[in-house]
Amino acid sequence: MFRIITSIVAFFSITAIFAQNPTGEVPKLVVGITIDQLRGDYLEMFKSTFGNKGFNRLLNNGLVYKNVNYDFPYLDKASTITSIFTGANPSYHGITAEKKFLLANNIEISSFHDDNYLGNFTTEKLSPLSIKVSTIADELKIASGGQSDIFAFAPDASQAMAAGGHAASGAYWIENEDAKWATTTFYKTRQPVVEQFNRSQQSLTYTINSISWKPALPIENYKAFPYTKNRYNFQHFFANNIKDNVKKFKESPYVNKEVNDMAIRVLESSSLGTRMNPDYLAVTFYAGNFSGALDKNYSIEIQDTYYRLDQELARLLDKIDELVGLNNTLIFVVSTGYFDENEIIPEGMVTSGGTFYPDRSQALLNMYLMALYGREQWIKKYYNKQFFFDRKLIEDKKIDLIELQQKAAEFLVQSAGVQDVITSYQMLHGAYNQNVQYYRNSYYKGISGDLFLELQPGWQVVEQGSDDHERVRNNAINAPAIFFGKDIKPQKINRTIEVTDIAPSVAYRLRIRSPNASVGEILEELF
């Protein structure tokens, strides 16, 4: 009831606020900073290398929540950032992962793929229409009558479109093939400063050959991990003759500088935060592992990444203060709540668990279904810990889908390494328990599979034809959220909040409606 009343009050007060108080009871600029794989424990462990104007300025002068909870499985950069800006789980917003499997076409594509829109400086066809609900940016655009400028910059397309939403004046990302700043023709306006930069000799397309990553500080300053075996002055190159050079670049701290440079260029050229209506800038940074690190478990590289990220945050905050004023700006910083481990088990060490081979599991399950229902290929695909059945075949054979799903689940749950198997019918119509609800939050009809597998911790997943061997870990990382700037009282809140609380809380501070599928509550410290 409180959320309904708040929405009504906010809706009727929008016009009055914008018209009667041009100096702004609301902030002139909103800056949403998402940091992919940011860890709160690393902020504490690495703080001796930070200055006073980046992380420490945010932590000492902001409203700091210890941890953000994502109440759905298989977190990644697409599903989490979409949840941040919509205030909803994937079951509502529709972005269940970075990629999705199209059963009808038997192909894997981007979750944002859209044949109706061409790319600009990219061959990919993408749009934000895969996001099935509104975002903070959408609601701000509606509230301001289209007058608010909205920009998003990120390493990857999914991050930029999730943060920029449907209403962005521009959402840009670094293209994986030639490192241009790319966008989609879904967004009708073009930002001249971005296109001019793409054609200049300063573009990453031309400079990536000359970039090498070395420690910014003497390596004796990087002493957070007592278990680091290889204390070395590393040097990594991103030249064009190196396979996947742009993707490697995106795992380095230099991607944060590239994103920050472009965000600052547009902040300056577009005069964001200087008009009556609030403007909006979304920036995504990277704080994850570098796959080329020599010490996979406790690397020097991750410490250097945080040190350099601290400097980039300081530069962005200083520029905002110079151009708009931090007291006129609402800034929120949110982690994506997961961390891709580079775990290497010492040679000769025997651990609990084992190896789960999805292709073998699929073959065994199909043989079982053949024994029950006839010699057919009942399974179309194993993808992202899900099994997809051939629905047309099942329909043609007039087989009860619910019964088939249940029998398949009962067979699979007996397999070594499988903790639980949940059917799509259970999630949509079955008796709920906490675990079913957790998986239900990530289920979207038409995108998700028939069976969801929960694998036991410690088991390694080895997929045929892939070099990535994931080891299952259920322990969540400490994922902070920080609010900073206009009318924010410095506090440290030692409780876990839900990711779905972020969007309605930002909307409340902007005096606009929450995104239309938002299920979270307004954080009480922001009243």
Side-chain angles (χ1 to χ4, degrees):
M1 176 61 72
F2 175 78
R3 289 174 63 242
I4 295 172
I5 294 172
T6 302
S7 298
I8 293 171
V9 172
F11 177 77
F12 285 112
S13 64
I14 288 165
T15 305
I17 287 171
F18 286 151
Q20 296 175 18
N21 196 348
T23 60
E25 291 181 15
V26 294
K28 294 182 177 180
L29 177 67
V30 180
V31 180
I33 302 174
T34 47
I35 305 181
D36 188 26
Q37 302 183 56
L38 178 70
R39 292 178 56 148
D41 57 339
Y42 280 5
L43 287 182
E44 186 63 32
M45 292 164 65
F46 304 160
K47 70 183 301 181
S48 64
T49 64
F50 298 158
N52 294 321
K53 290 192 169 185
F55 280 121
N56 282 329
R57 174 156 51 176
L58 293 169
L59 293 169
N60 293 333
N61 300 299
L63 170 60
V64 182
Y65 293 93
K66 180 181 179 180
N67 189 47
V68 177
N69 178 54
Y70 289 81
D71 193 24
F72 55 90
Y74 314 142
L75 308 183
D76 73 357
K77 58 191 173 188
S79 60
T80 56
I81 294 179
T82 310
S83 292
I84 290 168
F85 288 95
T86 61
N89 289 316
S91 57
Y92 278 92
H93 63 62
I95 305 299
T96 61
E98 177 72 7
K99 295 183 178 181
K100 61 185 177 183
F101 179 71
L102 285 188
L103 194 61
N105 305 89
N106 199 33
I107 56 171
E108 177 189 70
I109 60 171
S110 166
S111 287
F112 289 84
H113 179 83
D114 192 332
D115 278 326
N116 295 315
Y117 297 94
L118 298 174
N120 191 18
F121 291 99
T122 178
T123 58
E124 288 189 282
K125 296 180 178 180
L126 306 167
S127 89
L129 289 176
S130 294
I131 305 173
K132 304 302 183 185
V133 299
S134 72
T135 68
I136 300 171
D138 298 343
E139 296 296 342
L140 177 58
K141 198 78 164 185
I142 293 169
S144 68
Q147 297 303 303
S148 293
D149 276 344
I150 295 163
F151 290 97
F153 299 92
D156 294 306
S158 60
Q159 301 163 325
M161 286 185 283
H166 307 90
S169 311
Y172 295 90
W173 61 89
I174 301 170
E175 212 272 334
N176 280 332
E177 296 302 319
D178 63 5
K180 296 289 189 185
W181 277 99
T183 188
T184 164
T185 53
F186 174 87
Y187 300 112
K188 304 306 180 187
T189 58
R190 291 289 172 267
Q191 185 53 231
V193 69
V194 179
E195 303 205 354
Q196 290 166 11
F197 180 79
N198 273 342
R199 296 186 174 96
S200 75
Q201 292 298 310
Q202 286 74 46
S203 167
L204 185 60
T205 305
Y206 303 106
T207 61
I208 195 168
N209 277 321
S210 61
I211 296 174
S212 67
W213 176 20
K214 297 184 288 188
L217 296 175
I219 60 170
E220 55 266 25
N221 289 46
Y222 297 135
K223 53 190 177 183
F225 297 138
Y227 309 104
T228 302
K229 293 189 301 182
N230 302 308
R231 303 194 66 81
Y232 49 86
N233 279 301
F234 64 82
Q235 187 168 13
H236 303 294
F237 297 90
F238 307 103
N240 284 332
N241 61 348
I242 297 175
K243 184 182 178 183
D244 296 331
N245 65 317
V246 179
K247 292 180 182 178
K248 290 284 188 187
F249 178 85
K250 290 183 182 183
E251 295 177 350
S252 81
Y254 285 96
V255 73
N256 296 328
K257 182 180 184 304
E258 186 74 13
V259 169
N260 210 22
D261 284 348
M262 188 54 70
I264 288 173
R265 285 188 187 97
V266 171
L267 186 63
E268 292 174 326
S269 65
S270 298
S271 302
L272 298 183
T274 62
R275 295 175 288 271
M276 181 178 73
N277 297 290
D279 293 319
Y280 171 103
L281 175 66
V283 181
T284 300
F285 293 130
Y286 179 74
N289 270 318
F290 180 68
S291 59
L294 295 182
D295 191 323
K296 301 294 186 184
N297 293 332
Y298 301 102
S299 74
I300 299 293
E301 284 91 340
I302 191 66
Q303 297 177 69
D304 195 66
T305 292
Y306 271 70
Y307 169 74
R308 292 176 182 270
L309 177 54
D310 178 67
Q311 292 183 314
E312 292 304 322
L313 284 170
R315 189 160 68 96
L316 179 59
L317 293 174
D318 279 347
K319 183 56 68 172
I320 292 169
D321 198 20
E322 173 193 334
L323 298 175
V324 183
L326 290 174
N327 59 330
N328 294 319
T329 306
L330 174 64
I331 299 169
F332 60 101
V333 182
V334 190
S335 165
T336 54
Y338 71 100
F339 188 72
D340 286 335
E341 299 280 355
N342 277 344
E343 186 178 48
I344 301 296
I345 303 297
E347 187 176 352
M349 178 179 171
V350 179
T351 67
S352 59
T355 303
F356 179 78
Y357 297 94
D359 56 320
R360 298 180 190 179
S361 181
Q362 178 174 332
L364 287 170
L365 176 58
N366 200 69
M367 288 175 62
Y368 172 71
L369 295 176
M370 282 181 177
L372 293 178
Y373 299 106
R375 298 184 64 82
E376 303 280 359
Q377 290 298 319
W378 299 102
I379 305 170
K380 277 273 195 178
K381 181 75 171 178
Y382 170 89
Y383 184 78
N384 195 23
K385 300 185 181 68
Q386 301 167 57
F387 280 109
F388 291 76
F389 292 158
D390 189 332
R391 293 287 190 96
K392 186 176 186 308
L393 175 63
I394 293 169
E395 184 178 343
D396 289 346
K397 296 289 185 179
K398 294 182 170 50
I399 292 170
D400 188 323
L401 175 63
I402 301 169
E403 177 190 88
L404 187 145
Q405 285 185 346
Q406 188 58 40
K407 287 186 180 297
E410 290 170 357
F411 176 81
L412 277 175
V413 81
Q414 299 176 60
S415 303
V418 177
Q419 179 71 26
D420 198 5
V421 181
I422 301 169
T423 71
S424 63
Y425 181 82
Q426 273 182 286
M427 286 187 281
L428 290 175
H429 306 289
Y432 280 152
N433 59 43
Q434 188 173 358
N435 199 42
V436 171
Q437 182 62 53
Y438 177 67
Y439 280 85
R440 171 70 180 89
N441 288 339
S442 189
Y443 179 87
Y444 197 89
K445 188 177 180 181
I447 295 176
S448 300
D450 289 278
L451 303 179
F452 276 63
L453 272 65
E454 179 187 356
L455 301 178
Q456 292 174 348
W459 278 70
Q460 189 176 44
V461 182
V462 178
E463 295 196 43
Q464 190 176 29
S466 174
D467 295 328
D468 296 330
H469 297 163
E470 174 196 358
R471 191 173 293 276
V472 179
R473 297 183 69 91
N474 283 351
N475 55 311
I477 68 164
N478 181 251
I482 305 168
F483 291 82
F484 175 85
K486 182 172 177 56
D487 300 327
I488 299 296
K489 178 183 177 182
Q491 294 180 76
K492 287 184 171 55
I493 309 300
N494 190 28
R495 78 168 189 271
T496 296
I497 63 173
E498 298 298 320
V499 67
T500 52
D501 296 338
I502 303 292
S505 298
V506 173
Y508 173 78
R509 278 297 177 124
L510 281 169
R511 302 299 187 264
I512 62 175
R513 296 174 300 188
S514 294
N516 59 19
S518 173
V519 296
E521 300 291 339
I522 299 168
L523 296 166
E524 61 187 67
E525 292 80 10
L526 289 172
F527 283 117

